[in-house]
Amino acid sequence: VFAVREAAPGDYWFATLGGGLNHLQNGQWSKVDHIQGQPALASMALLKPEPRPGAAALVAGVRGVGLARLDGATWSFLKENSLLPDKWVYALAETREPDGSRPLWVGTRKGLVRLQGGKAELFGPDQGLPHPHVTALLEALGPDHRRTLWVGTRGGGLGAMDLETRV
């Protein structure tokens, strides 16, 4: 199991490597192993976006395919998958911009991607990441009240990005 998220009280999702997306609701287990005809056996990241109109209940990183979203009881792939440098998604985060918008950050083997408004911004070693393979993400507010995105990498340790300057 790579990730666990609560979609609602008593409604849990588990991302696994080889066992699909597993769902526990009201004591009953079910499994999603295909999304729109594509195998979805390996998932390594789950995100519960902040509730708002048009937001998915959950977003999952599906290995080799990209991002999928849960709306009601239906999983579907995001059109933004074409913007990713790599379809192996290891980490997801949603941050809050000063204007209230909520970009989605996606950690892949080939860099960190910021998705917002149908556009992608790629960050890698040339932009200050210690390594392109991103495995963990966390937004935090520092003692100086600046927002930081902590970026865990495979093979390069930990990086920190100031979310105001994106450096």
Side-chain angles (χ1 to χ4, degrees):
V1 175
F2 277 82
V4 178
R5 290 292 175 266
E6 182 180 49
D11 185 358
Y12 306 99
W13 285 90
F14 304 83
T16 70
L17 184 62
L21 289 161
N22 292 271
H23 187 209
L24 176 61
Q25 185 177 32
N26 300 323
Q28 299 294 313
W29 285 95
S30 62
K31 179 169 83 167
V32 174
D33 56 12
H34 282 78
I35 298 173
Q36 294 178 312
Q38 294 283 334
L41 291 174
S43 298
M44 296 185 215
L46 287 171
L47 171 73
K48 181 180 178 183
E50 181 178 293
R52 64 187 179 282
L58 284 177
V59 177
V62 179
R63 186 174 75 178
V65 183
L67 299 168
R69 64 180 280 143
L70 176 64
D71 292 304
T74 304
W75 283 94
S76 60
F77 291 112
L78 274 67
K79 65 182 183 314
E80 288 86 357
N81 282 335
S82 64
L83 302 174
L84 299 176
D86 183 41
K87 302 300 187 271
W88 288 48
V89 175
Y90 286 83
L92 296 168
E94 182 182 62
T95 60
R96 181 184 299 277
E97 296 292 309
D99 66 3
S101 62
R102 305 287 298 186
L104 177 64
W105 294 84
V106 182
T108 74
R109 294 180 303 174
K110 295 182 180 177
L112 174 63
V113 181
R114 180 182 180 271
L115 295 174
Q116 185 174 24
K119 296 181 180 169
E121 189 175 0
L122 178 64
F123 299 87
D126 290 345
Q127 292 75 31
L129 281 185
H131 195 276
H133 190 156
V134 176
T135 57
L137 298 168
L138 174 70
E139 179 185 19
L141 188 63
D144 58 358
H145 299 285
R146 294 193 63 85
R147 295 176 315 115
T148 299
L149 184 65
W150 291 98
V151 182
T153 69
R154 181 177 180 186
L158 184 64
M161 177 187 295
D162 182 307
L163 286 170
E164 308 302 324
T165 62
R166 294 198 195 112
V167 176

